[in-house]
Amino acid sequence: MIVGSILIPAGTCLLVLLTPSSSAILAGAGSLIMGFGMGLLNIGVLVLTQESVNWSERGSATASNVFSRNLGSTLGAAILGAVLAYGLANSTDGQSITAEQLRALLNGTGVMMPDAESIRLALQHALHSTFIVMLVFAVLIVPAAFSCRSPRWAARCPSGHEALGKAMSY
């Protein structure tokens, strides 16, 4: 969990460093590192969740974990979407950018639009703001992971092992 929690902000830092002239490899590397971090963190949290309940409650605990992840993903997408929309609105002096304008710019068909450069700069600013907010959330994950306690393996071992203070190897 700790390694995963450290990888997430490390990958996010790469996304914060993106500029319009950056290579797609930088964006891919940042996403890959964040993905590894999220995977490691997820596995650790799932094991910790299952070890904190009895065998008969593991199904419910796993379902709660999955529900919490889905809820967190939904809230995260909503927050980051709001940051992106706010950044787009504030980057263009109050002029709204339509979805068609963004789509045309990203597809390459809107390059000849008279306001293409201002839309491109607004998108760059909004994405950068979104990545900074992502970094803030990612940094908050690290102390949360450090605050989790290790499961007490010895308390769950068959009698004899807990007297020695050793966990049984599985």
Side-chain angles (χ1 to χ4, degrees), residues 15 17 27 35 42 69-70 84 100 117 123 127 137-138 156 161 163:
L15 296 179
L17 295 175
N42 181 37
R69 281 187 315 191
N70 287 337
L84 183 68
E100 291 78 27
E117 188 59 30
L123 185 59
L127 283 173
F137 283 121
R156 297 192 178 273
H161 289 285

Side-chain angles (χ1 to χ4, degrees), residues 2 12 20 34 40 46 79 84 91 96 101 103 107 116 143 160 163 166:
I2 291 173
T12 309
M34 282 180 62
L40 289 172
L46 186 60
I79 291 169
L84 183 68
S91 299
S96 63
Q101 288 174 314
R103 197 172 298 116
N107 287 336
K166 297 179 185 175

Side-chain angles (χ1 to χ4, degrees), residues 113-129:
M113 293 186 308
D115 54 352
E117 188 59 30
S118 65
I119 294 172
R120 188 181 341 271
L121 289 173
L123 185 59
Q124 174 190 350
H125 179 287
L127 283 173
H128 187 70
S129 299

Side-chain angles (χ1 to χ4, degrees), residues 3-4 6-14 26-40:
V3 171
I6 292 170
L7 286 176
I8 294 171
T12 309
C13 284
L14 294 179
L26 183 63
S31 298
L32 181 70
I33 292 169
M34 282 180 62
F36 279 135
M38 286 187 220
L40 289 172

Side-chain angles (χ1 to χ4, degrees), residues 74-86:
T74 302
L75 290 174
I79 291 169
L80 293 176
V83 169
L84 183 68
Y86 181 78

Side-chain angles (χ1 to χ4, degrees), residues 4-5 16-17 22 29 42 48 50 60 64 66-67 72 82 87 99 110 116-117 123-124 136 138 144 160:
S5 73
V16 169
L17 295 175
S22 296
N42 181 37
L48 187 63
Q50 289 191 350
S60 297
S64 295
V66 171
F67 175 75
E117 188 59 30
L123 185 59
Q124 174 190 350
V136 169

Side-chain angles (χ1 to χ4, degrees), residues 45-46 48-69:
V45 168
L46 186 60
L48 187 63
T49 301
Q50 289 191 350
E51 282 298 317
S52 67
V53 297
N54 294 327
W55 275 95
S56 63
E57 300 168 330
R58 285 193 175 188
S60 297
T62 302
S64 295
N65 181 290
V66 171
F67 175 75
S68 297
R69 281 187 315 191

Side-chain angles (χ1 to χ4, degrees), residues 101-116:
Q101 288 174 314
L102 282 175
R103 197 172 298 116
L105 185 69
L106 294 173
N107 287 336
T109 58
V111 179
M112 302 307 286
M113 293 186 308
D115 54 352

